Amino acid sequence: MVLNVYKCVLLGGNLQQCPRRFFSASCRRLQSSASSLFTEEQRRQRESVGRIEKIEIRYLGTPTDTTLIMNRGLSTPYDCARHIGEKYCRYSALALLDSNTPWDMRRPLEESCTLQLLNFTASEPHIANKAFWRTCSFLLGAALQKAFKPEAGLFLHSFPKPSIKSGSFVHDIALAREGWTPTVHELRALSIEMIKLSQQDQPIERLDVSSELAQEMFADNPYKREQVPSISAQNNGQVTVYRVGEHVDISKGPMISSTGLLGKCTVAAVHQVPRNSADKLSLYRVQGVALPVGLNLNHFAYGILEDRAKKLNPAKLPNEPYEESVAEQVA
Protein backbone atom coordinates (compact mmCIF):
# COMPACT_ATOMS: atom_id res chain seq x y z
CA MET A 1 0.00 0.00 0.00
CA VAL A 2 1.01 3.63 0.01
CA LEU A 3 1.27 3.98 3.76
CA ASN A 4 4.49 4.56 5.65
CA VAL A 5 5.30 1.57 7.86
CA TYR A 6 8.53 1.87 9.82
CA LYS A 7 10.43 3.45 6.87
CA CYS A 8 8.94 1.11 4.25
CA VAL A 9 5.72 0.82 2.22
CA LEU A 10 3.68 -2.12 1.03
CA LEU A 11 3.37 -2.01 -2.75
CA GLY A 12 1.65 -4.86 -4.55
CA GLY A 13 2.28 -7.23 -1.67
CA ASN A 14 6.05 -6.59 -1.50
CA LEU A 15 7.83 -4.51 1.08
CA GLN A 16 10.06 -1.94 -0.60
CA GLN A 17 12.29 0.71 0.88
CA CYS A 18 11.07 4.28 0.69
CA PRO A 19 12.50 7.64 1.74
CA ARG A 20 11.72 8.89 5.22
CA ARG A 21 10.10 12.01 3.77
CA PHE A 22 7.21 10.23 2.10
CA PHE A 23 4.71 13.13 1.94
CA SER A 24 5.05 15.19 -1.22
CA ALA A 25 6.02 18.86 -1.18
CA SER A 26 2.82 19.76 -3.05
CA CYS A 27 0.61 18.06 -0.45
CA ARG A 28 2.50 19.76 2.34
CA ARG A 29 1.95 23.11 0.64
CA LEU A 30 -1.82 22.50 0.51
CA GLN A 31 -1.94 21.77 4.23
CA SER A 32 0.30 24.74 4.94
CA SER A 33 -1.96 26.97 2.84
CA ALA A 34 -5.05 26.09 4.91
CA SER A 35 -3.09 26.69 8.10
CA SER A 36 -1.79 30.03 6.81
CA LEU A 37 -5.33 31.14 5.96
CA PHE A 38 -6.38 30.07 9.46
CA THR A 39 -3.60 32.18 11.00
CA GLU A 40 -4.45 35.23 8.89
CA GLU A 41 -8.15 35.06 9.74
CA GLN A 42 -7.42 34.44 13.41
CA ARG A 43 -5.23 37.57 13.46
CA ARG A 44 -7.85 39.60 11.60
CA GLN A 45 -10.57 38.60 14.07
CA ARG A 46 -8.41 39.51 17.05
CA GLU A 47 -7.53 42.89 15.59
CA SER A 48 -11.21 43.58 14.82
CA VAL A 49 -12.11 43.43 18.50
CA GLY A 50 -11.22 47.12 18.75
CA ARG A 51 -11.65 48.75 22.13
CA ILE A 52 -11.12 46.18 24.85
CA GLU A 53 -14.14 45.67 27.10
CA LYS A 54 -14.00 43.88 30.42
CA ILE A 55 -16.28 40.99 31.36
CA GLU A 56 -16.81 39.27 34.69
CA ILE A 57 -16.14 35.53 34.79
CA ARG A 58 -17.35 33.77 37.94
CA TYR A 59 -15.27 30.61 38.29
CA LEU A 60 -16.97 27.77 40.17
CA GLY A 61 -14.80 24.90 41.37
CA THR A 62 -11.68 23.91 43.25
CA PRO A 63 -9.63 25.17 44.96
CA THR A 64 -12.18 27.96 45.56
CA ASP A 65 -14.85 29.93 43.74
CA THR A 66 -13.47 33.22 42.47
CA THR A 67 -14.30 36.11 40.16
CA LEU A 68 -11.99 37.02 37.28
CA ILE A 69 -12.04 40.18 35.19
CA MET A 70 -11.18 39.21 31.62
CA ASN A 71 -11.19 40.75 28.12
CA ARG A 72 -14.28 40.28 25.93
CA GLY A 73 -13.51 38.54 22.63
CA LEU A 74 -9.88 37.88 23.59
CA SER A 75 -9.67 35.98 26.88
CA THR A 76 -10.37 32.25 26.83
CA PRO A 77 -11.18 29.65 29.50
CA TYR A 78 -7.55 28.56 29.15
CA ASP A 79 -6.50 32.09 30.15
CA CYS A 80 -8.83 31.84 33.14
CA ALA A 81 -7.27 28.50 34.10
CA ARG A 82 -3.83 30.14 34.12
CA HIS A 83 -5.05 32.45 36.88
CA ILE A 84 -6.34 29.51 38.90
CA GLY A 85 -3.38 27.13 38.72
CA GLU A 86 -1.03 25.33 36.33
CA LYS A 87 -2.67 21.93 36.76
CA TYR A 88 -6.00 23.38 35.59
CA CYS A 89 -4.35 24.41 32.33
CA ARG A 90 -2.86 20.95 31.94
CA TYR A 91 -5.83 18.76 32.77
CA SER A 92 -8.93 20.77 31.87
CA ALA A 93 -10.41 19.32 28.71
CA LEU A 94 -13.35 21.64 28.24
CA ALA A 95 -15.20 24.56 29.83
CA LEU A 96 -18.86 24.76 30.80
CA LEU A 97 -20.44 28.21 30.71
CA ASP A 98 -23.49 29.08 32.84
CA SER A 99 -23.79 25.37 33.76
CA ASN A 100 -25.13 24.38 30.33
CA THR A 101 -22.96 25.50 27.40
CA PRO A 102 -19.85 23.43 26.50
CA TRP A 103 -17.06 25.75 25.35
CA ASP A 104 -13.61 25.15 23.88
CA MET A 105 -10.79 25.99 26.28
CA ARG A 106 -9.08 28.19 23.66
CA ARG A 107 -12.23 29.88 22.31
CA PRO A 108 -12.59 33.56 23.27
CA LEU A 109 -15.31 34.37 25.81
CA GLU A 110 -18.04 36.70 24.59
CA GLU A 111 -20.07 37.63 27.68
CA SER A 112 -19.93 37.66 31.46
CA CYS A 113 -20.77 34.18 32.71
CA THR A 114 -20.07 31.46 35.22
CA LEU A 115 -17.25 29.09 34.31
CA GLN A 116 -16.57 25.48 35.25
CA LEU A 117 -13.55 23.50 34.05
CA LEU A 118 -14.27 19.91 33.03
CA ASN A 119 -11.90 16.95 33.09
CA PHE A 120 -12.22 13.20 32.61
CA THR A 121 -12.27 12.26 36.29
CA ALA A 122 -15.39 14.25 37.19
CA SER A 123 -18.39 12.39 38.58
CA GLU A 124 -20.30 13.15 35.35
CA PRO A 125 -17.71 13.26 32.55
CA HIS A 126 -20.11 12.66 29.62
CA ILE A 127 -19.69 16.17 28.13
CA ALA A 128 -15.89 15.94 28.21
CA ASN A 129 -16.02 12.36 26.91
CA LYS A 130 -18.02 13.37 23.82
CA ALA A 131 -15.54 16.17 23.11
CA PHE A 132 -12.70 13.66 23.54
CA TRP A 133 -14.30 11.20 21.10
CA ARG A 134 -14.86 13.96 18.54
CA THR A 135 -11.27 15.14 18.93
CA CYS A 136 -9.97 11.60 18.37
CA SER A 137 -11.74 11.57 14.98
CA PHE A 138 -10.18 14.94 14.14
CA LEU A 139 -6.70 13.75 15.17
CA LEU A 140 -7.18 10.54 13.19
CA GLY A 141 -7.65 12.71 10.12
CA ALA A 142 -4.36 14.48 10.90
CA ALA A 143 -2.60 11.13 11.32
CA LEU A 144 -4.00 9.83 8.01
CA GLN A 145 -2.86 12.96 6.16
CA LYS A 146 0.63 12.50 7.58
CA ALA A 147 0.89 8.76 6.97
CA PHE A 148 -0.20 8.36 3.34
CA LYS A 149 2.02 8.88 0.35
CA PRO A 150 0.66 11.19 -2.38
CA GLU A 151 0.05 8.38 -4.90
CA ALA A 152 -2.66 7.01 -2.58
CA GLY A 153 -4.92 9.84 -3.72
CA LEU A 154 -6.16 10.36 -0.18
CA PHE A 155 -9.00 12.79 0.55
CA LEU A 156 -10.46 13.23 4.01
CA HIS A 157 -14.24 13.04 3.79
CA SER A 158 -15.88 13.64 7.18
CA PHE A 159 -16.43 12.11 10.58
CA PRO A 160 -19.82 11.43 12.21
CA LYS A 161 -20.94 12.86 15.52
CA PRO A 162 -19.43 11.02 18.48
CA SER A 163 -21.24 8.03 19.91
CA ILE A 164 -19.30 6.43 22.74
CA LYS A 165 -21.76 3.52 22.79
CA SER A 166 -20.64 2.60 19.26
CA GLY A 167 -17.26 1.54 20.64
CA SER A 168 -15.12 3.46 18.14
CA PHE A 169 -14.28 6.90 16.84
CA VAL A 170 -14.35 7.27 13.07
CA HIS A 171 -12.90 9.17 10.13
CA ASP A 172 -14.17 8.44 6.62
CA ILE A 173 -11.72 8.82 3.74
CA ALA A 174 -11.52 8.40 -0.03
CA LEU A 175 -8.65 6.62 -1.76
CA ALA A 176 -7.67 6.10 -5.37
CA ARG A 177 -7.14 2.40 -4.64
CA GLU A 178 -10.00 -0.06 -4.23
CA GLY A 179 -9.90 -3.11 -2.01
CA TRP A 180 -7.34 -1.87 0.50
CA THR A 181 -7.08 -4.19 3.47
CA PRO A 182 -4.48 -2.76 5.85
CA THR A 183 -1.92 -5.04 7.43
CA VAL A 184 -1.32 -5.20 11.17
CA HIS A 185 1.86 -3.16 10.61
CA GLU A 186 -0.04 -0.44 8.74
CA LEU A 187 -2.66 -0.14 11.48
CA ARG A 188 0.15 0.03 14.02
CA ALA A 189 1.85 2.77 12.01
CA LEU A 190 -1.36 4.83 12.09
CA SER A 191 -1.65 4.26 15.84
CA ILE A 192 1.93 5.49 16.27
CA GLU A 193 1.09 8.68 14.37
CA MET A 194 -1.71 9.30 16.88
CA ILE A 195 0.65 8.71 19.80
CA LYS A 196 3.16 11.13 18.27
CA LEU A 197 0.47 13.80 18.25
CA SER A 198 -0.19 13.10 21.92
CA GLN A 199 3.48 13.37 22.81
CA GLN A 200 3.77 16.72 21.02
CA ASP A 201 1.03 18.18 23.27
CA GLN A 202 -0.16 20.58 20.56
CA PRO A 203 -2.98 23.06 21.19
CA ILE A 204 -6.26 22.51 19.34
CA GLU A 205 -7.64 25.79 18.02
CA ARG A 206 -11.13 26.75 16.87
CA LEU A 207 -12.16 29.43 14.38
CA ASP A 208 -15.46 30.44 12.75
CA VAL A 209 -14.88 31.50 9.15
CA SER A 210 -17.01 32.61 6.22
CA SER A 211 -18.23 30.13 3.64
CA GLU A 212 -15.97 31.77 1.05
CA LEU A 213 -12.86 31.39 3.20
CA ALA A 214 -13.75 27.78 4.00
CA GLN A 215 -13.98 27.06 0.27
CA GLU A 216 -10.52 28.56 -0.16
CA MET A 217 -9.11 26.55 2.76
CA PHE A 218 -10.33 23.30 1.25
CA ALA A 219 -9.79 24.15 -2.40
CA ASP A 220 -7.94 20.85 -2.89
CA ASN A 221 -10.66 18.64 -1.38
CA PRO A 222 -13.90 18.18 -3.41
CA TYR A 223 -15.68 16.47 -0.50
CA LYS A 224 -15.08 19.37 1.87
CA ARG A 225 -16.09 21.91 -0.78
CA GLU A 226 -19.34 20.03 -1.29
CA GLN A 227 -20.07 20.08 2.44
CA VAL A 228 -19.39 23.78 3.02
CA PRO A 229 -22.65 25.26 1.57
CA SER A 230 -24.91 23.02 3.67
CA ILE A 231 -22.90 23.66 6.83
CA SER A 232 -22.81 27.43 6.37
CA ALA A 233 -26.54 27.53 5.55
CA GLN A 234 -27.29 26.01 8.95
CA ASN A 235 -24.80 28.23 10.79
CA ASN A 236 -25.61 31.80 9.70
CA GLY A 237 -23.15 31.67 6.81
CA GLN A 238 -20.27 30.51 9.02
CA VAL A 239 -18.19 27.33 9.00
CA THR A 240 -16.38 26.18 12.15
CA VAL A 241 -12.89 24.83 11.53
CA TYR A 242 -10.27 23.42 13.88
CA ARG A 243 -6.50 23.32 13.60
CA VAL A 244 -3.78 21.18 15.15
CA GLY A 245 -0.28 21.82 13.83
CA GLU A 246 -0.86 22.52 10.14
CA HIS A 247 -3.88 20.20 9.89
CA VAL A 248 -7.22 22.00 9.42
CA ASP A 249 -10.65 20.34 9.26
CA ILE A 250 -14.34 21.12 9.62
CA SER A 251 -16.18 20.30 12.84
CA LYS A 252 -18.99 21.74 14.96
CA GLY A 253 -16.97 21.11 18.10
CA PRO A 254 -16.33 21.52 20.89
CA MET A 255 -13.02 19.70 21.18
CA ILE A 256 -10.55 19.13 23.98
CA SER A 257 -7.83 21.70 24.53
CA SER A 258 -4.67 19.79 23.59
CA THR A 259 -3.39 16.61 21.98
CA GLY A 260 -1.56 15.94 25.26
CA LEU A 261 -4.88 14.78 26.76
CA LEU A 262 -4.87 11.77 24.42
CA GLY A 263 -3.61 8.67 26.22
CA LYS A 264 -3.55 5.08 25.02
CA CYS A 265 -4.79 4.86 21.43
CA THR A 266 -5.31 2.17 18.79
CA VAL A 267 -6.37 2.47 15.16
CA ALA A 268 -8.27 -0.80 15.14
CA ALA A 269 -9.84 -1.38 11.73
CA VAL A 270 -10.57 -0.10 8.23
CA HIS A 271 -13.83 -1.02 6.45
CA GLN A 272 -14.45 -0.38 2.78
CA VAL A 273 -17.75 1.42 2.20
CA PRO A 274 -19.95 -0.09 -0.56
CA ARG A 275 -19.69 2.10 -3.63
CA ASN A 276 -22.62 3.70 -5.39
CA SER A 277 -22.80 5.06 -8.94
CA ALA A 278 -21.74 8.57 -7.89
CA ASP A 279 -18.52 7.50 -6.13
CA LYS A 280 -15.42 8.32 -8.17
CA LEU A 281 -13.01 7.00 -5.53
CA SER A 282 -13.19 4.16 -3.04
CA LEU A 283 -14.48 5.14 0.37
CA TYR A 284 -13.21 3.68 3.64
CA ARG A 285 -14.25 3.99 7.28
CA VAL A 286 -11.20 4.13 9.58
CA GLN A 287 -11.97 3.29 13.22
CA GLY A 288 -10.10 3.52 16.50
CA VAL A 289 -10.40 3.53 20.26
CA ALA A 290 -8.56 5.61 22.85
CA LEU A 291 -8.40 6.57 26.50
CA PRO A 292 -7.79 10.03 27.97
CA VAL A 293 -4.38 10.51 29.54
CA GLY A 294 -4.25 9.31 33.13
CA LEU A 295 -7.03 6.75 32.71
CA ASN A 296 -5.51 3.27 32.59
CA LEU A 297 -6.90 -0.17 31.87
CA ASN A 298 -5.10 -3.48 32.13
CA HIS A 299 -4.09 -5.21 28.91
CA PHE A 300 -7.00 -7.65 28.95
CA ALA A 301 -9.69 -5.00 29.48
CA TYR A 302 -8.20 -2.69 26.84
CA GLY A 303 -8.05 -5.64 24.44
CA ILE A 304 -11.82 -6.02 24.79
CA LEU A 305 -12.23 -2.36 23.75
CA GLU A 306 -9.92 -2.91 20.77
CA ASP A 307 -11.92 -5.93 19.60
CA ARG A 308 -15.14 -3.98 19.90
CA ALA A 309 -13.67 -1.08 17.92
CA LYS A 310 -12.99 -3.43 14.98
CA LYS A 311 -16.71 -3.91 14.30
CA LEU A 312 -18.18 -1.63 11.63
CA ASN A 313 -19.35 1.58 13.27
CA PRO A 314 -23.09 1.99 12.51
CA ALA A 315 -22.96 5.78 11.99
CA LYS A 316 -24.30 7.14 8.70
CA LEU A 317 -21.97 6.31 5.83
CA PRO A 318 -20.19 9.05 3.89
CA ASN A 319 -21.89 8.34 0.54
CA GLU A 320 -25.42 8.55 1.92
CA PRO A 321 -27.25 11.75 0.85
CA TYR A 322 -25.35 14.62 2.39
CA GLU A 323 -28.01 17.34 2.25
CA GLU A 324 -30.29 15.27 4.46
CA SER A 325 -27.67 14.31 7.03
CA VAL A 326 -25.23 17.17 7.46
CA ALA A 327 -25.75 17.12 11.23
CA GLU A 328 -24.82 13.46 11.39
CA GLN A 329 -21.89 13.50 8.98
CA VAL A 330 -19.96 16.47 10.33
CA ALA A 331 -19.42 16.19 14.07
Side-chain angles (χ1 to χ4, degrees):
M1 188 46 192
V2 282
L3 177 68
N4 182 61
V5 182
Y6 307 123
K7 303 182 185 177
C8 60
V9 291
L10 187 60
L11 295 170
N14 296 316
L15 285 173
Q16 301 180 3
Q17 294 301 314
C18 71
R20 296 181 68 180
R21 295 180 65 184
F22 53 89
F23 204 70
S24 73
S26 60
C27 291
R28 281 196 298 271
R29 281 197 301 270
L30 291 171
Q31 271 195 301
S32 179
S33 174
S35 181
S36 296
L37 290 170
F38 188 107
T39 298
E40 292 170 8
E41 177 63 13
Q42 188 180 60
R43 183 186 302 113
R44 187 197 67 79
Q45 291 186 18
R46 287 172 178 168
E47 292 174 351
S48 71
V49 171
R51 185 173 66 89
I52 296 177
E53 299 181 16
K54 298 298 182 179
I55 53 176
E56 185 176 280
I57 307 300
R58 179 64 177 167
Y59 168 71
L60 306 176
T62 57
T64 183
D65 295 354
T66 188
T67 298
L68 302 170
I69 304 301
M70 308 301 290
N71 298 324
R72 184 195 305 272
L74 294 173
S75 300
T76 66
Y78 187 85
D79 294 323
C80 296
R82 294 174 65 184
H83 289 282
I84 299 165
E86 180 62 29
K87 71 175 184 178
Y88 297 93
C89 298
R90 178 69 183 88
Y91 294 109
S92 296
L94 202 64
L96 189 66
L97 306 189
D98 293 331
S99 301
N100 59 20
T101 303
W103 200 265
D104 295 87
M105 287 292 293
R106 301 175 192 274
R107 181 181 178 184
L109 295 160
E110 300 168 354
E111 303 289 345
S112 296
C113 61
T114 63
L115 170 70
Q116 295 166 269
L117 299 176
L118 307 181
N119 57 45
F120 302 110
T121 59
S123 58
E124 295 185 8
H126 62 282
I127 296 176
N129 284 344
K130 288 187 70 174
F132 177 76
W133 220 239
R134 179 185 293 109
T135 306
C136 286
S137 290
F138 171 64
L139 296 180
L140 178 56
L144 288 162
Q145 286 275 38
K146 183 69 182 293
F148 275 85
K149 295 185 69 181
E151 53 261 39
L154 169 72
F155 292 100
L156 298 183
H157 190 287
S158 56
F159 47 95
K161 62 183 180 180
S163 173
I164 297 170
K165 292 181 179 179
S166 71
S168 60
F169 59 83
V170 172
H171 207 306
D172 295 322
I173 63 172
L175 288 177
R177 175 173 172 176
E178 186 171 0
W180 174 45
T181 301
T183 66
V184 171
H185 295 297
E186 288 175 324
L187 290 174
R188 188 175 299 154
L190 288 172
S191 301
I192 290 172
E193 289 295 340
M194 294 283 284
I195 297 302
K196 286 179 180 177
L197 283 169
S198 173
Q199 293 172 341
Q200 292 164 3
D201 194 17
Q202 298 186 54
I204 297 171
E205 303 171 281
R206 172 192 170 117
L207 193 66
D208 292 323
V209 304
S210 68
S211 175
E212 294 76 16
L213 182 56
Q215 292 279 11
E216 187 177 355
M217 284 181 167
F218 302 104
D220 62 311
N221 189 320
Y223 299 101
K224 301 293 180 186
R225 291 202 311 271
E226 181 183 0
Q227 294 162 12
V228 164
S230 295
I231 294 170
S232 62
Q234 297 183 32
N235 193 33
N236 298 317
Q238 297 287 297
V239 177
T240 302
V241 294
Y242 281 81
R243 177 173 70 175
V244 62
E246 290 196 339
H247 175 68
V248 180
D249 205 350
I250 300 171
S251 175
K252 299 173 187 172
M255 293 196 189
I256 62 175
S257 64
S258 167
T259 64
L261 292 174
L262 175 67
K264 195 167 187 176
C265 179
T266 304
V267 179
V270 177
H271 298 276
Q272 185 163 7
V273 176
R275 296 183 71 159
N276 61 35
S277 57
D279 293 333
K280 296 180 180 179
L281 298 176
S282 297
L283 297 174
Y284 296 86
R285 172 154 287 181
V286 187
Q287 302 180 186
V289 66
L291 297 175
V293 68
L295 295 184
N296 299 311
L297 285 181
N298 63 51
H299 180 74
F300 177 78
Y302 187 74
I304 293 175
L305 296 183
E306 288 179 311
D307 289 338
R308 186 182 178 200
K310 294 176 183 178
K311 298 177 182 178
L312 177 63
N313 190 296
K316 189 173 288 294
L317 296 172
N319 55 1
E320 294 185 30
Y322 182 78
E323 295 291 343
E324 300 173 5
S325 59
V326 61
E328 295 185 53
Q329 284 187 306
V330 179

